[in-house]
Amino acid sequence: PLTPEAGEAIAAIATPVGVGALAIVRMSGRGVLEIADRVFRKKGGTAFSFKEAEGFSAHFGTLSDSRGMVDEVIALVFRAPSSFTMEDMVEFTCHGGPVVVRHLLQALLDSGCRLAEPGEFTRRAFLSGRIDLLQAEAIGEMIHARTESAFRTAVTQMQGNLSRHLQEMRAGLLQSCALLELELDFSEDDVEFQSRDALRLEVGRLQGEILRLVESYREGHLLTEGVATVIAGRPNAGKSTLLNALLGHERAIVSHMPGTTRDYIEECFIHEKTMFRLTDTAGLRESDEAVEHEGIKRSYRKISEADLMLYMIDSSSGDFLKEAAAARELRQRHPESGMIVVANKTDLAPDAGGMIAQLQSETACPVIAMAASKGDGLNELKSTMAGMVEGLDKLHEASVLVTSLRHYEALRNAADSLDNALQLISAREPAELIAFELRSALDYVGEITGKVVSEELLNTIFDQFCIGK
Ligand code: GDP
Ligand code: ZN
Protein backbone atom coordinates (compact mmCIF):
# COMPACT_ATOMS: atom_id res chain seq x y z
CA PRO A 1 0.00 0.00 0.00
CA LEU A 2 1.26 3.44 -0.89
CA THR A 3 1.18 5.50 2.27
CA PRO A 4 2.31 9.11 2.63
CA GLU A 5 2.65 8.77 6.41
CA ALA A 6 6.11 8.65 7.93
CA GLY A 7 7.47 5.13 8.24
CA GLU A 8 9.12 3.65 11.31
CA ALA A 9 12.55 5.01 12.15
CA ILE A 10 15.31 3.51 10.00
CA ALA A 11 19.06 4.04 10.08
CA ALA A 12 21.98 3.12 7.84
CA ILE A 13 25.55 4.01 6.98
CA ALA A 14 25.35 6.19 3.87
CA THR A 15 29.02 6.20 2.90
CA PRO A 16 31.26 3.34 1.71
CA VAL A 17 32.67 0.99 4.29
CA GLY A 18 36.38 1.58 4.86
CA VAL A 19 38.71 4.26 6.10
CA GLY A 20 37.97 7.82 5.03
CA ALA A 21 38.20 11.32 6.44
CA LEU A 22 34.48 11.41 7.18
CA ALA A 23 31.49 9.11 7.09
CA ILE A 24 27.75 9.67 7.32
CA VAL A 25 25.15 7.70 9.22
CA ARG A 26 21.58 8.74 8.63
CA MET A 27 18.10 8.16 10.03
CA SER A 28 14.63 8.82 8.72
CA GLY A 29 11.06 8.34 9.95
CA ARG A 30 8.85 8.64 12.96
CA GLY A 31 10.63 9.49 16.21
CA VAL A 32 14.13 10.09 14.83
CA LEU A 33 14.33 13.45 16.60
CA GLU A 34 13.73 11.74 19.98
CA ILE A 35 16.24 9.04 19.12
CA ALA A 36 18.80 11.70 18.22
CA ASP A 37 18.16 13.41 21.56
CA ARG A 38 18.96 10.13 23.34
CA VAL A 39 22.41 9.68 21.80
CA PHE A 40 23.64 13.24 21.16
CA ARG A 41 24.93 15.94 23.54
CA LYS A 42 25.52 19.36 22.04
CA LYS A 43 28.89 21.01 22.84
CA GLY A 44 28.79 23.93 25.25
CA GLY A 45 26.42 22.33 27.74
CA THR A 46 23.46 24.33 26.50
CA ALA A 47 20.05 22.68 26.72
CA PHE A 48 19.32 21.43 23.22
CA SER A 49 16.66 19.22 21.71
CA PHE A 50 16.31 18.08 18.11
CA LYS A 51 12.56 18.51 18.48
CA GLU A 52 13.07 22.27 18.65
CA ALA A 53 15.84 22.36 16.06
CA GLU A 54 15.14 24.00 12.73
CA GLY A 55 15.40 22.18 9.42
CA PHE A 56 18.80 22.43 7.70
CA SER A 57 20.53 23.32 10.98
CA ALA A 58 23.86 21.76 11.93
CA HIS A 59 24.98 21.00 15.49
CA PHE A 60 28.36 20.01 16.85
CA GLY A 61 28.51 17.60 19.77
CA THR A 62 29.27 14.12 21.03
CA LEU A 63 27.49 10.90 20.27
CA SER A 64 27.42 8.17 22.93
CA ASP A 65 26.21 4.63 23.33
CA SER A 66 25.60 2.82 26.64
CA ARG A 67 29.35 2.45 27.21
CA GLY A 68 30.25 6.07 26.64
CA MET A 69 31.27 8.48 23.95
CA VAL A 70 31.68 7.10 20.43
CA ASP A 71 32.81 10.16 18.49
CA GLU A 72 32.51 13.87 18.02
CA VAL A 73 29.97 14.45 15.30
CA ILE A 74 28.07 17.07 13.33
CA ALA A 75 24.33 16.47 13.37
CA LEU A 76 22.36 17.79 10.40
CA VAL A 77 18.62 18.15 10.90
CA PHE A 78 15.99 17.93 8.17
CA ARG A 79 12.38 18.57 9.12
CA ALA A 80 9.48 16.96 7.26
CA PRO A 81 8.58 17.53 4.52
CA SER A 82 11.81 19.26 3.48
CA SER A 83 14.03 16.21 3.32
CA PHE A 84 14.99 13.51 0.83
CA THR A 85 12.32 11.14 2.19
CA MET A 86 9.93 13.99 3.15
CA GLU A 87 10.14 12.58 6.69
CA ASP A 88 12.09 13.97 9.64
CA MET A 89 15.73 13.05 9.08
CA VAL A 90 18.97 13.40 11.03
CA GLU A 91 22.41 12.81 9.50
CA PHE A 92 25.50 12.36 11.64
CA THR A 93 28.85 13.12 10.09
CA CYS A 94 31.57 11.35 12.04
CA HIS A 95 35.20 10.31 11.55
CA GLY A 96 35.45 7.79 8.76
CA GLY A 97 36.81 4.69 10.48
CA PRO A 98 34.88 1.46 9.98
CA VAL A 99 34.70 0.75 13.72
CA VAL A 100 33.58 4.27 14.61
CA VAL A 101 30.84 4.10 12.03
CA ARG A 102 29.65 0.68 13.21
CA HIS A 103 29.49 1.87 16.82
CA LEU A 104 27.56 4.95 15.83
CA LEU A 105 25.06 2.92 13.83
CA GLN A 106 24.72 0.46 16.69
CA ALA A 107 23.98 3.33 19.10
CA LEU A 108 21.08 4.39 16.86
CA LEU A 109 19.80 0.83 16.54
CA ASP A 110 19.95 0.43 20.33
CA SER A 111 17.95 3.63 20.75
CA GLY A 112 14.99 2.56 18.63
CA CYS A 113 15.94 2.57 14.94
CA ARG A 114 15.78 -0.44 12.71
CA LEU A 115 18.45 -1.08 10.07
CA ALA A 116 17.25 0.21 6.69
CA GLU A 117 16.77 -2.21 3.83
CA PRO A 118 18.60 -1.66 0.52
CA GLY A 119 17.21 1.42 -1.21
CA GLU A 120 14.73 2.10 1.58
CA PHE A 121 15.47 5.82 1.82
CA THR A 122 14.96 6.22 -1.93
CA ARG A 123 11.87 4.03 -1.75
CA ARG A 124 10.40 6.40 0.83
CA ALA A 125 11.26 9.37 -1.37
CA PHE A 126 9.23 7.65 -4.09
CA LEU A 127 6.31 6.61 -1.86
CA SER A 128 6.04 10.11 -0.45
CA GLY A 129 5.79 11.46 -3.99
CA ARG A 130 8.96 13.53 -3.88
CA ILE A 131 10.40 11.70 -6.88
CA ASP A 132 8.85 9.31 -9.37
CA LEU A 133 10.08 5.83 -10.10
CA LEU A 134 12.14 6.95 -13.09
CA GLN A 135 14.00 9.43 -10.94
CA ALA A 136 14.53 6.84 -8.22
CA GLU A 137 16.03 4.46 -10.77
CA ALA A 138 18.16 7.29 -12.17
CA ILE A 139 19.71 7.82 -8.74
CA GLY A 140 20.77 4.17 -8.74
CA GLU A 141 22.15 4.45 -12.26
CA MET A 142 24.02 7.63 -11.47
CA ILE A 143 25.74 6.00 -8.51
CA HIS A 144 26.76 3.00 -10.58
CA ALA A 145 27.67 4.91 -13.74
CA ARG A 146 31.11 3.94 -15.01
CA THR A 147 31.35 6.25 -17.98
CA GLU A 148 30.79 9.95 -18.38
CA SER A 149 27.89 9.44 -20.79
CA ALA A 150 26.11 6.94 -18.51
CA PHE A 151 26.46 9.49 -15.75
CA ARG A 152 25.10 12.36 -17.87
CA THR A 153 22.16 10.26 -19.01
CA ALA A 154 21.29 9.39 -15.41
CA VAL A 155 21.51 13.02 -14.34
CA THR A 156 19.16 14.07 -17.15
CA GLN A 157 16.69 11.38 -16.12
CA MET A 158 17.00 12.36 -12.48
CA GLN A 159 16.04 15.90 -13.37
CA GLY A 160 12.81 14.50 -14.76
CA ASN A 161 13.06 15.10 -18.52
CA LEU A 162 11.69 11.70 -19.49
CA SER A 163 9.17 11.90 -16.63
CA ARG A 164 7.77 15.17 -17.94
CA HIS A 165 7.58 13.81 -21.46
CA LEU A 166 5.69 10.73 -20.30
CA GLN A 167 3.40 12.88 -18.19
CA GLU A 168 2.44 14.92 -21.24
CA MET A 169 1.68 11.76 -23.18
CA ARG A 170 -0.41 10.42 -20.33
CA ALA A 171 -2.34 13.67 -20.20
CA GLY A 172 -3.06 13.42 -23.95
CA LEU A 173 -4.23 9.82 -23.61
CA LEU A 174 -6.37 10.63 -20.60
CA GLN A 175 -8.06 13.43 -22.48
CA SER A 176 -9.07 11.19 -25.40
CA CYS A 177 -10.03 8.43 -23.02
CA ALA A 178 -12.24 10.71 -20.96
CA LEU A 179 -14.09 11.96 -24.04
CA LEU A 180 -14.73 8.38 -25.20
CA GLU A 181 -15.94 7.31 -21.81
CA LEU A 182 -18.28 10.28 -21.74
CA GLU A 183 -19.89 8.92 -24.89
CA LEU A 184 -20.72 5.76 -23.03
CA ASP A 185 -23.05 7.75 -20.80
CA PHE A 186 -24.95 8.93 -23.86
CA SER A 187 -25.32 5.53 -25.49
CA GLU A 188 -28.90 6.31 -26.62
CA ASP A 189 -27.81 8.95 -29.07
CA ASP A 190 -24.98 8.69 -31.49
CA VAL A 191 -22.77 11.40 -29.95
CA GLU A 192 -19.09 11.81 -30.58
CA PHE A 193 -17.35 14.31 -28.33
CA GLN A 194 -14.22 13.99 -30.38
CA SER A 195 -14.71 13.08 -34.03
CA ARG A 196 -13.21 9.71 -34.88
CA ASP A 197 -10.93 11.40 -37.40
CA ALA A 198 -9.59 13.76 -34.74
CA LEU A 199 -9.20 10.83 -32.35
CA ARG A 200 -7.28 8.83 -34.89
CA LEU A 201 -4.94 11.75 -35.50
CA GLU A 202 -4.35 12.25 -31.78
CA VAL A 203 -3.78 8.56 -31.00
CA GLY A 204 -1.54 8.29 -34.04
CA ARG A 205 0.50 11.26 -32.85
CA LEU A 206 0.92 9.80 -29.37
CA GLN A 207 1.87 6.43 -30.78
CA GLY A 208 4.46 8.14 -32.94
CA GLU A 209 6.02 9.74 -29.89
CA ILE A 210 6.06 6.45 -28.02
CA LEU A 211 7.65 4.67 -30.97
CA ARG A 212 10.32 7.35 -31.13
CA LEU A 213 11.16 6.61 -27.50
CA VAL A 214 11.10 2.85 -28.18
CA GLU A 215 13.52 3.46 -31.03
CA SER A 216 15.84 5.51 -28.81
CA TYR A 217 16.43 2.43 -26.63
CA ARG A 218 18.37 0.76 -29.43
CA GLU A 219 21.27 3.09 -28.77
CA GLY A 220 20.18 4.40 -25.38
CA HIS A 221 20.75 1.10 -23.59
CA LEU A 222 24.33 1.03 -24.80
CA LEU A 223 25.01 4.07 -22.65
CA THR A 224 24.00 2.56 -19.36
CA GLU A 225 24.52 -1.14 -19.93
CA GLY A 226 27.52 -0.95 -22.21
CA VAL A 227 27.87 -2.48 -25.66
CA ALA A 228 27.14 -6.19 -25.32
CA THR A 229 29.97 -7.75 -27.26
CA VAL A 230 30.37 -11.46 -27.90
CA ILE A 231 33.47 -13.16 -29.12
CA ALA A 232 32.35 -16.03 -31.31
CA GLY A 233 34.19 -18.56 -33.40
CA ARG A 234 35.36 -22.16 -33.48
CA PRO A 235 37.14 -23.75 -30.54
CA ASN A 236 40.83 -22.86 -30.38
CA ALA A 237 40.46 -19.80 -32.58
CA GLY A 238 41.85 -17.76 -29.68
CA LYS A 239 38.69 -16.27 -28.19
CA SER A 240 39.75 -16.54 -24.55
CA THR A 241 43.17 -15.17 -25.41
CA LEU A 242 41.52 -12.15 -27.05
CA LEU A 243 39.19 -11.66 -24.10
CA ASN A 244 42.17 -11.53 -21.76
CA ALA A 245 44.05 -9.18 -24.06
CA LEU A 246 41.11 -6.79 -24.26
CA LEU A 247 40.58 -6.83 -20.52
CA GLY A 248 44.27 -6.42 -19.93
CA HIS A 249 44.60 -9.19 -17.38
CA GLU A 250 44.25 -12.94 -17.10
CA ARG A 251 40.61 -13.82 -16.54
CA ALA A 252 39.22 -16.50 -18.78
CA ILE A 253 40.99 -19.84 -18.57
CA VAL A 254 43.00 -20.36 -21.72
CA SER A 255 43.56 -23.96 -22.61
CA HIS A 256 44.86 -26.08 -25.49
CA MET A 257 41.92 -28.46 -25.27
CA PRO A 258 39.13 -27.54 -27.68
CA GLY A 259 35.86 -26.70 -25.97
CA THR A 260 37.12 -25.79 -22.53
CA THR A 261 35.26 -22.51 -22.19
CA ARG A 262 32.20 -24.33 -20.98
CA ASP A 263 30.24 -21.44 -19.70
CA TYR A 264 30.45 -17.81 -20.66
CA ILE A 265 32.35 -15.15 -18.80
CA GLU A 266 31.29 -11.53 -18.77
CA GLU A 267 33.62 -8.61 -18.07
CA CYS A 268 33.65 -4.92 -18.86
CA PHE A 269 36.29 -2.62 -20.25
CA ILE A 270 36.11 1.03 -21.21
CA HIS A 271 37.69 2.31 -24.40
CA GLU A 272 37.43 5.94 -25.48
CA LYS A 273 34.46 6.72 -23.25
CA THR A 274 32.51 3.65 -24.35
CA MET A 275 31.91 0.68 -22.12
CA PHE A 276 32.01 -2.76 -23.70
CA ARG A 277 30.54 -5.79 -21.97
CA LEU A 278 32.52 -8.74 -23.25
CA THR A 279 31.36 -12.31 -23.40
CA ASP A 280 33.48 -15.26 -24.41
CA THR A 281 31.28 -18.01 -25.75
CA ALA A 282 31.69 -21.70 -25.59
CA GLY A 283 33.01 -22.96 -28.91
CA LEU A 284 30.38 -23.15 -31.58
CA ARG A 285 30.38 -26.73 -32.74
CA GLU A 286 28.35 -29.87 -32.44
CA SER A 287 29.06 -31.86 -29.33
CA ASP A 288 27.73 -35.01 -27.69
CA GLU A 289 28.77 -33.89 -24.28
CA ALA A 290 25.81 -32.69 -22.23
CA VAL A 291 27.71 -30.00 -20.36
CA GLU A 292 29.07 -28.55 -23.52
CA HIS A 293 25.69 -28.69 -25.18
CA GLU A 294 24.25 -26.49 -22.47
CA GLY A 295 27.12 -24.07 -22.92
CA ILE A 296 26.59 -23.93 -26.65
CA LYS A 297 22.88 -23.25 -26.25
CA ARG A 298 23.75 -20.39 -23.93
CA SER A 299 26.30 -19.10 -26.44
CA TYR A 300 23.66 -18.83 -29.12
CA ARG A 301 21.40 -16.94 -26.74
CA LYS A 302 24.24 -14.54 -25.87
CA ILE A 303 24.90 -14.00 -29.55
CA SER A 304 21.26 -13.21 -30.18
CA GLU A 305 21.42 -10.52 -27.49
CA ALA A 306 24.68 -9.02 -28.70
CA ASP A 307 25.11 -5.49 -29.98
CA LEU A 308 28.47 -6.34 -31.48
CA MET A 309 29.95 -9.67 -32.58
CA LEU A 310 33.63 -10.34 -32.93
CA TYR A 311 33.92 -13.38 -35.16
CA MET A 312 37.26 -14.99 -34.64
CA ILE A 313 39.02 -17.08 -37.25
CA ASP A 314 42.19 -19.11 -36.90
CA SER A 315 43.98 -17.95 -40.02
CA SER A 316 46.51 -20.76 -39.77
CA SER A 317 43.86 -23.46 -40.01
CA GLY A 318 43.47 -23.30 -43.80
CA ASP A 319 39.69 -23.44 -44.17
CA PHE A 320 39.06 -19.72 -43.88
CA LEU A 321 36.53 -19.67 -46.72
CA LYS A 322 34.32 -22.00 -44.75
CA GLU A 323 34.78 -19.69 -41.79
CA ALA A 324 33.88 -16.67 -43.88
CA ALA A 325 30.64 -18.41 -44.85
CA ALA A 326 29.91 -19.13 -41.17
CA ALA A 327 30.53 -15.50 -40.26
CA ARG A 328 28.28 -14.32 -43.07
CA GLU A 329 25.52 -16.65 -41.97
CA LEU A 330 25.77 -15.47 -38.36
CA ARG A 331 25.63 -11.90 -39.55
CA GLN A 332 22.50 -12.60 -41.60
CA ARG A 333 20.80 -14.23 -38.65
CA HIS A 334 21.44 -11.15 -36.47
CA PRO A 335 21.23 -8.20 -38.83
CA GLU A 336 20.76 -5.77 -35.93
CA SER A 337 24.19 -6.43 -34.45
CA GLY A 338 27.43 -5.17 -35.85
CA MET A 339 30.21 -7.61 -36.76
CA ILE A 340 33.96 -7.43 -36.93
CA VAL A 341 35.90 -10.39 -38.29
CA VAL A 342 39.14 -11.06 -36.44
CA ALA A 343 41.70 -13.05 -38.39
CA ASN A 344 43.79 -14.42 -35.54
CA LYS A 345 47.13 -16.24 -35.37
CA THR A 346 48.53 -14.28 -38.30
CA ASP A 347 51.97 -15.05 -36.80
CA LEU A 348 51.41 -18.61 -38.02
CA ALA A 349 50.05 -17.53 -41.42
CA PRO A 350 52.83 -15.62 -43.18
CA ASP A 351 50.86 -14.73 -46.32
CA ALA A 352 47.79 -13.39 -44.51
CA GLY A 353 47.41 -10.31 -46.74
CA GLY A 354 45.50 -12.03 -49.53
CA MET A 355 43.34 -13.83 -47.05
CA ILE A 356 42.37 -10.60 -45.28
CA ALA A 357 41.24 -9.04 -48.55
CA GLN A 358 39.24 -12.14 -49.43
CA LEU A 359 37.63 -12.28 -46.00
CA GLN A 360 36.66 -8.66 -46.39
CA SER A 361 34.88 -9.20 -49.68
CA GLU A 362 33.28 -12.50 -48.57
CA THR A 363 31.85 -11.14 -45.31
CA ALA A 364 31.38 -7.43 -46.10
CA CYS A 365 32.62 -6.74 -42.57
CA PRO A 366 35.72 -4.98 -41.28
CA VAL A 367 38.50 -7.55 -40.92
CA ILE A 368 41.31 -7.11 -38.42
CA ALA A 369 44.52 -9.11 -38.68
CA MET A 370 45.68 -10.21 -35.24
CA ALA A 371 48.01 -12.26 -33.18
CA ALA A 372 46.06 -12.20 -29.94
CA SER A 373 48.66 -14.03 -27.89
CA LYS A 374 51.23 -11.34 -28.80
CA GLY A 375 48.84 -8.39 -28.62
CA ASP A 376 49.39 -7.58 -32.32
CA GLY A 377 46.42 -5.77 -33.86
CA LEU A 378 44.79 -5.14 -30.49
CA ASN A 379 44.77 -1.35 -30.82
CA GLU A 380 43.37 -1.51 -34.31
CA LEU A 381 40.61 -3.81 -33.10
CA LYS A 382 39.75 -1.50 -30.21
CA SER A 383 39.48 1.57 -32.41
CA THR A 384 37.39 -0.34 -34.94
CA MET A 385 35.09 -1.38 -32.09
CA ALA A 386 34.83 2.22 -30.91
CA GLY A 387 34.14 3.30 -34.49
CA MET A 388 31.16 0.92 -34.73
CA VAL A 389 29.39 2.86 -31.97
CA GLU A 390 30.59 6.30 -32.93
CA GLY A 391 28.55 9.19 -31.63
CA LEU A 392 27.37 7.20 -28.63
CA ASP A 393 29.00 9.57 -26.17
CA LYS A 394 27.03 12.44 -27.72
CA LEU A 395 23.74 10.58 -27.48
CA HIS A 396 22.90 11.75 -23.97
CA GLU A 397 22.57 15.26 -25.36
CA ALA A 398 19.34 14.18 -27.05
CA SER A 399 16.52 15.48 -24.90
CA VAL A 400 14.77 12.25 -24.00
CA LEU A 401 16.22 8.81 -24.20
CA VAL A 402 15.12 5.38 -23.02
CA THR A 403 17.99 3.47 -21.46
CA SER A 404 16.34 0.78 -19.38
CA LEU A 405 14.85 -2.52 -20.51
CA ARG A 406 11.94 -2.08 -18.09
CA HIS A 407 10.93 1.22 -19.67
CA TYR A 408 11.48 -0.11 -23.17
CA GLU A 409 9.16 -3.06 -22.60
CA ALA A 410 6.43 -0.92 -21.04
CA LEU A 411 6.59 1.49 -23.99
CA ARG A 412 6.46 -1.34 -26.50
CA ASN A 413 3.31 -2.63 -24.81
CA ALA A 414 1.80 0.85 -24.80
CA ALA A 415 2.53 1.21 -28.53
CA ASP A 416 0.86 -2.17 -29.18
CA SER A 417 -2.24 -1.09 -27.27
CA LEU A 418 -2.40 2.11 -29.31
CA ASP A 419 -2.02 0.02 -32.45
CA ASN A 420 -5.10 -1.96 -31.42
CA ALA A 421 -6.92 1.28 -30.66
CA LEU A 422 -6.11 2.68 -34.11
CA GLN A 423 -7.47 -0.44 -35.80
CA LEU A 424 -10.65 -0.27 -33.74
CA ILE A 425 -11.11 3.38 -34.65
CA SER A 426 -10.67 2.64 -38.36
CA ALA A 427 -13.15 -0.24 -38.14
CA ARG A 428 -15.60 2.16 -36.45
CA GLU A 429 -15.88 -0.13 -33.45
CA PRO A 430 -17.73 1.08 -30.33
CA ALA A 431 -16.20 3.65 -27.98
CA GLU A 432 -16.02 1.09 -25.18
CA LEU A 433 -13.49 -1.09 -26.97
CA ILE A 434 -11.34 1.84 -28.02
CA ALA A 435 -11.38 3.27 -24.49
CA PHE A 436 -10.24 -0.08 -23.14
CA GLU A 437 -7.13 -0.05 -25.32
CA LEU A 438 -6.36 3.56 -24.44
CA ARG A 439 -6.69 2.70 -20.74
CA SER A 440 -4.27 -0.16 -21.12
CA ALA A 441 -1.76 2.11 -22.90
CA LEU A 442 -2.18 4.57 -20.03
CA ASP A 443 -1.40 1.84 -17.52
CA TYR A 444 1.74 0.81 -19.37
CA VAL A 445 3.04 4.37 -19.46
CA GLY A 446 2.05 4.78 -15.81
CA GLU A 447 4.12 1.69 -14.94
CA ILE A 448 7.25 3.57 -15.96
CA THR A 449 6.85 6.56 -13.70
CA GLY A 450 5.28 4.50 -10.93
CA LYS A 451 1.73 5.85 -11.25
CA VAL A 452 0.55 2.27 -11.66
CA VAL A 453 2.90 -0.01 -9.86
CA SER A 454 2.99 -3.29 -7.95
CA GLU A 455 4.75 -4.02 -4.70
CA GLU A 456 6.68 -6.74 -6.52
CA LEU A 457 8.05 -4.32 -9.09
CA LEU A 458 9.10 -1.90 -6.35
CA ASN A 459 10.93 -4.71 -4.61
CA THR A 460 12.89 -5.69 -7.69
CA ILE A 461 13.87 -2.09 -8.32
CA PHE A 462 14.89 -1.12 -4.80
CA ASP A 463 16.60 -4.41 -3.97
CA GLN A 464 19.31 -3.37 -6.45
CA PHE A 465 20.20 -0.35 -4.36
CA CYS A 466 22.76 -0.46 -1.60
CA ILE A 467 21.85 -0.14 2.03
CA GLY A 468 21.88 3.50 3.06
CA LYS A 469 20.61 4.79 -0.28
P1 GDP B 1 39.42 -20.42 -27.72
O1 GDP B 1 39.07 -21.86 -27.62
O2 GDP B 1 38.87 -19.82 -28.98
O3 GDP B 1 39.02 -19.64 -26.53
O4 GDP B 1 41.01 -20.35 -27.88
P2 GDP B 1 42.10 -20.00 -26.75
O5 GDP B 1 42.13 -18.56 -26.47
O6 GDP B 1 41.89 -20.92 -25.61
O7 GDP B 1 43.40 -20.31 -27.56
C1 GDP B 1 43.70 -21.61 -28.07
C2 GDP B 1 45.19 -21.76 -28.26
O8 GDP B 1 45.65 -20.88 -29.27
C3 GDP B 1 46.00 -21.39 -27.02
O9 GDP B 1 47.06 -22.30 -26.92
C4 GDP B 1 46.51 -20.01 -27.30
O10 GDP B 1 47.72 -19.73 -26.65
C5 GDP B 1 46.72 -20.06 -28.81
N1 GDP B 1 46.67 -18.76 -29.44
C6 GDP B 1 45.74 -17.79 -29.25
N2 GDP B 1 46.01 -16.72 -30.03
C7 GDP B 1 47.13 -17.00 -30.72
C8 GDP B 1 47.90 -16.28 -31.69
O11 GDP B 1 47.63 -15.16 -32.08
N3 GDP B 1 49.00 -16.91 -32.20
C9 GDP B 1 49.36 -18.17 -31.80
N4 GDP B 1 50.44 -18.71 -32.34
N5 GDP B 1 48.65 -18.86 -30.88
C10 GDP B 1 47.55 -18.31 -30.35
ZN1 ZN C 1 38.04 -20.06 -24.93
Side-chain angles (χ1 to χ4, degrees):
L2 310 184
T3 156
E5 290 148 37
E8 56 183 323
I10 52 171
I13 302 165
T15 39
V17 185
V19 178
L22 298 170
I24 294 172
V25 179
R26 65 173 169 180
M27 316 190 267
S28 178
R30 252 180 290 121
V32 295
L33 302 174
E34 287 85 345
I35 293 169
D37 274 338
R38 261 171 242 151
V39 295
F40 179 85
R41 288 285 160 279
K42 188 162 171 149
K43 273 279 160 89
T46 46
F48 167 78
S49 167
F50 282 97
K51 279 178 284 187
E52 270 97 60
E54 280 180 39
F56 307 121
S57 61
H59 308 275
F60 178 52
T62 57
L63 199 139
S64 308
D65 61 14
S66 54
R67 282 179 297 179
M69 183 182 121
V70 174
D71 194 9
E72 290 187 322
V73 300
I74 303 278
L76 251 175
V77 186
F78 303 87
R79 301 299 298 250
S82 302
S83 78
F84 178 56
T85 56
M86 293 184 83
E87 304 171 339
D88 284 334
M89 288 183 77
V90 180
E91 282 183 11
F92 295 107
T93 304
C94 64
H95 293 107
V99 182
V100 178
V101 177
R102 255 203 324 270
H103 274 295
L104 205 157
L105 176 64
Q106 193 58 50
L108 300 181
L109 299 180
D110 292 344
S111 306
C113 274
R114 127 174 111 64
L115 184 64
E117 283 164 26
E120 196 167 6
F121 289 92
T122 314
R123 186 183 189 126
R124 287 188 181 187
F126 164 68
L127 290 178
S128 66
R130 210 185 76 81
I131 55 174
D132 69 19
L133 204 51
L134 270 172
Q135 290 169 305
E137 287 171 301
I139 293 174
E141 280 182 7
M142 190 189 84
I143 296 171
H144 292 119
R146 292 179 46 173
T147 61
E148 184 68 22
S149 40
F151 169 72
R152 292 272 158 235
T153 309
V155 169
T156 311
Q157 184 171 319
M158 202 166 69
Q159 286 168 335
N161 287 18
L162 182 54
S163 306
R164 271 191 296 279
H165 196 69
L166 293 174
Q167 227 98 63
E168 278 164 29
M169 286 198 295
R170 262 181 69 85
L173 279 170
L174 261 173
Q175 168 78 1
S176 293
C177 212
L179 291 173
L180 277 172
E181 282 165 357
L182 207 57
E183 287 178 18
L184 300 179
D185 299 337
F186 289 80
S187 52
E188 309 298 319
D189 331 297
D190 223 4
V191 285
E192 283 182 5
F193 288 98
Q194 185 177 26
S195 82
R196 288 297 185 261
D197 284 341
L199 180 65
R200 187 171 44 224
L201 274 176
E202 175 66 359
V203 172
R205 182 185 70 81
L206 291 167
Q207 194 201 30
E209 288 204 27
I210 290 179
L211 287 175
R212 201 178 52 72
L213 286 176
V214 164
E215 182 62 22
S216 78
Y217 176 74
R218 223 155 56 94
E219 289 188 304
H221 83 281
L222 303 179
L223 284 180
T224 47
E225 290 165 15
V227 181
T229 309
V230 293
I231 308 177
R234 294 166 64 83
N236 258 341
K239 298 183 295 299
S240 303
T241 309
L242 175 63
L243 183 85
N244 288 333
L246 283 170
L247 295 174
H249 51 97
E250 289 281 318
R251 269 304 160 90
I253 309 146
V254 182
S255 130
H256 294 271
M257 293 287 293
T260 39
T261 312
R262 289 275 158 77
D263 209 333
Y264 64 85
I265 306 163
E266 203 175 88
E267 292 264 10
C268 295
F269 77 95
I270 294 168
H271 180 72
E272 286 179 0
K273 296 188 206 157
T274 306
M275 183 164 85
F276 292 90
R277 245 179 328 119
L278 268 178
T279 309
D280 180 19
T281 61
L284 297 177
R285 56 166 197 156
E286 293 305 315
S287 164
D288 305 326
E289 252 187 274
V291 187
E292 224 177 59
H293 228 88
E294 191 50 39
I296 289 170
K297 252 199 318 218
R298 237 182 306 225
S299 298
Y300 276 113
R301 203 181 58 227
K302 273 282 153 194
I303 288 173
S304 72
E305 291 165 358
D307 302 306
L308 179 60
M309 298 181 282
L310 306 182
Y311 193 86
M312 206 151 191
I313 294 174
D314 178 349
S315 19
S316 68
S317 75
D319 55 355
F320 71 92
L321 278 179
K322 227 170 83 192
E323 287 282 60
R328 207 170 47 218
E329 197 199 312
L330 196 62
R331 176 94 183 82
Q332 277 158 3
R333 246 186 295 144
H334 306 285
E336 300 262 288
S337 345
M339 184 185 267
I340 298 172
V341 173
V342 180
N344 192 34
K345 306 198 189 181
T346 44
D347 55 323
L348 302 179
D351 51 349
M355 181 182 67
I356 303 293
Q358 215 170 338
L359 278 173
Q360 223 137 24
S361 67
E362 289 288 321
T363 61
C365 290
V367 180
I368 309 293
M370 261 199 100
S373 55
K374 298 193 162 89
D376 294 352
L378 195 63
N379 285 335
E380 200 194 340
L381 176 62
K382 281 186 183 173
S383 43
T384 307
M385 288 170 73
M388 303 281 277
V389 288
E390 210 163 21
L392 202 60
D393 59 315
K394 296 264 183 299
L395 202 61
H396 64 83
E397 287 162 16
S399 56
V400 276
L401 201 58
V402 174
T403 58
S404 123
L405 181 62
R406 186 181 84 77
H407 307 159
Y408 167 79
E409 283 176 343
L411 286 168
R412 275 228 66 97
N413 289 332
D416 287 348
S417 296
L418 292 186
D419 219 38
N420 296 341
L422 284 171
Q423 284 177 27
L424 293 169
I425 296 167
S426 296
R428 306 212 62 84
E429 293 285 351
E432 210 175 339
L433 299 182
I434 304 168
F436 176 83
E437 294 295 345
L438 295 189
R439 277 277 159 208
S440 108
L442 262 171
D443 283 353
Y444 284 124
V445 176
E447 236 175 51
I448 301 176
T449 52
K451 276 262 182 318
V452 188
V453 78
S454 69
E455 192 72 23
E456 194 191 344
L457 176 62
L458 288 187
N459 290 341
T460 41
I461 289 172
F462 288 106
D463 282 354
Q464 293 163 18
F465 277 71
C466 7
I467 290 186
K469 193 54 232 168

